[in-house]
Amino acid sequence: WRTTDGGQNWTALTDDLPTCAIGALAVDPADDLIVYAGSGEANFAHHSPYGLGLYKTVDGGKHWVVLASQDFAGRTFSRLVVSPVDSSVLYAAVTRAGGFPALAAAKGHPLANGPVGVFRSQDAGETWTLLEGGLPAAPASDVVLDPASPATLYAAIADIFGSPANGIYKSTDEGRTWAPLVLGLPVNPGRISLAVAPSDSQRLYALICNPASASGLEATTLDLFRSDNAGASWSPTGLGPIQ
């Protein structure tokens, strides 16, 4: 949807596209008419629809093209990021459709078991590469970029049912190599969301959940964690569990 009057009125833009389920949006910081919409609802429930690719508009939503459908169909986008120094560079956190048993929300899509993790495009979304270099090829619930140093990225690998690979990873070379951040963070968490403070890029926040179960009742918030040294160490803020 788009508003041009500060939220008073809205116009639907994507009703004619393959699916209306959107998991992530990103506006090109160099041109606000260019918008990317990653399809698929990354909320991990039976009723969370899978995606069918990446949507892109260059005219503020009047017209759209569908990109990378074979790369991402049957899965979901949890975050899209456009580099502030090179608009042709995008990063995407991609995870599986949710539900229990696994992939219930994928509704049998033939590409539901395709690659997940953090992907990078260097041609404005036309083609994508799965990033490795120490980063697990596992469900990614978030990826954020340091606005003061755009070569620095933080990624959340987070299978919601828990996994030894789950955690926060950092790259300082545009995603070529990654290292896990561990000091002060819980082991084997569930879903993770990340944020970099715009006032101080050394300050990071991570909202971390407990692993989910078949009932889903255990997927409560564990705590909000904070780092003041670019992820080298973390401390819980005391927010505590939230159902």
Side-chain angles (χ1 to χ4, degrees), residues 71 75 96 110-116:
D71 291 304
R75 283 145 287 152
R96 303 202 187 283
L111 298 178
N113 280 303
V116 291

Side-chain angles (χ1 to χ4, degrees), residues 34-119:
I34 299 176
V35 182
Y36 298 89
S39 67
E41 184 183 325
N43 284 322
F44 311 106
H46 289 72
H47 53 75
S48 299
Y50 57 79
L52 292 170
L54 176 71
Y55 305 156
K56 180 181 179 179
T57 178
V58 297
D59 57 13
K62 295 177 182 177
H63 304 91
W64 297 82
V65 294
V66 181
L67 304 174
S69 58
Q70 289 299 304
D71 291 304
F72 301 123
R75 283 145 287 152
T76 68
F77 285 83
S78 44
R79 180 79 76 127
L80 285 166
V81 178
V82 183
S83 170
V85 294
D86 183 352
S87 293
S88 64
V89 176
L90 286 76
Y91 299 92
V94 176
T95 187
R96 303 202 187 283
F100 188 88
L103 303 184
K107 308 294 191 294
H109 192 284
L111 298 178
N113 280 303
V116 291
V118 177
F119 292 75

